[in-house]
Amino acid sequence: TQINNNYTVGALLQQQALTGQRLEEVLTIVGVPQSLWQIDAGLTQVQNETSPTITTTALSYAQALQQTEDGLLFVDPSGNLNFLNRATVFDTSRCTTVHGILSDEGPNFVLCYDPSPQIVQDDLDLWNTIQAQRRNGILQTASDQTSINDYGSRILPGLTGLLQAFDSDALYLAQWLLLRFKQPHPRTLSVTVSSTFNNGAALPVLL
């Protein structure tokens, strides 16, 4: 059994794989039981490892996979490690189902808010030039000139040493992030929701 286990561990990380599949390999190497993880396969191919990774921790490798995928990596309340691909928040029902609608009119709108909500245009996370580079790859750049003209040049730092297998995937990541961050986002700083409107119909959602 020990020989078989050593062989299995030694064979991991040697082939290209999707980000989630590689994360499962990392968790297998460090001995995390499969019962403690829920891992999406991922959407991005990562390169095989051609040199020892003994100086890399499992956590830092997992974080590199999350950044390469631009997915979600977190531990849920049950203590299970979760990894979601970057499209999850856009195409799965648990993320797209509407649980309540904020409105200043009713009674068909459950979450009726009081006057004067504070809503701003947030440009703190505005980036109109995105540079991404995979390990041993060529720097890829995506930019939006209209946003640069409107808000000045804002370059997102830190996307180097990524694990994509292909430069084209690094470029896709840059384009994906540019689409999300090239314009300011409306942010609600505060809003007061009535718990008494429509005979307290909002309470189940509020709680």
Side-chain angles (χ1 to χ4, degrees):
T1 300
Q2 185 64 44
I3 293 175
N4 182 66
N5 290 342
N6 289 339
Y7 174 80
T8 300
V9 169
L12 298 176
L13 312 184
Q14 302 303 306
Q15 304 293 326
Q16 288 184 16
L18 294 170
T19 47
Q21 295 169 337
R22 175 58 53 82
L23 180 56
E24 290 182 349
E25 292 180 339
V26 172
L27 296 174
T28 298
I29 290 173
V30 298
V32 179
Q34 292 187 20
S35 59
L36 294 181
W37 78 56
Q38 296 183 28
I39 309 296
D40 278 352
L43 300 174
T44 302
Q45 287 279 342
V46 296
Q47 54 192 269
N48 60 310
E49 295 294 342
T50 58
S51 58
T53 57
I54 57 176
T55 60
T56 303
T57 66
L59 176 60
S60 63
Y61 201 106
Q63 291 170 330
L65 289 167
Q66 179 277 324
Q67 189 177 47
T68 297
E69 174 71 30
D70 191 41
L72 298 174
L73 178 69
F74 61 94
V75 176
D76 65 26
S78 299
N80 295 321
L81 181 68
N82 288 254
F83 178 76
L84 306 178
N85 70 59
R86 61 178 173 270
T88 298
V89 296
F90 301 103
D91 63 10
T92 58
S93 59
R94 60 177 167 173
C95 297
T96 59
T97 299
V98 176
H99 297 282
I101 299 175
L102 288 170
S103 175
D104 59 357
E105 58 184 47
N108 295 326
F109 297 93
V110 175
L111 301 179
C112 186
Y113 60 80
D114 292 343
S116 303
Q118 297 185 42
I119 301 175
V120 300
Q121 288 291 105
D122 183 6
D123 64 355
L124 179 63
D125 290 319
L126 188 151
W127 312 102
N128 44 40
T129 297
I130 312 291
Q131 296 179 329
Q133 186 173 21
R134 70 187 183 99
R135 188 176 56 195
N136 301 320
I138 298 172
L139 182 66
Q140 305 295 315
T141 301
S143 61
D144 186 278
Q145 191 59 50
T146 300
S147 176
I148 293 173
N149 293 341
D150 290 343
Y151 305 105
S153 179
R154 304 279 292 271
I155 302 174
L156 179 65
L159 295 177
T160 57
L162 301 173
L163 302 178
Q164 287 93 342
F166 308 105
D167 285 330
S168 59
D169 283 336
L171 176 60
Y172 181 84
L173 175 63
Q175 294 169 335
W176 170 267
L177 293 172
L178 179 68
L179 183 64
R180 289 172 53 193
F181 295 121
K182 66 182 180 179
Q183 296 293 332
H185 292 279
R187 307 286 189 192
T188 302
L189 297 182
S190 66
V191 60
T192 302
V193 179
S194 173
S195 61
T196 60
F197 178 78
N198 199 18
N199 296 318
L203 284 173
V205 178
L206 293 175
L207 298 176

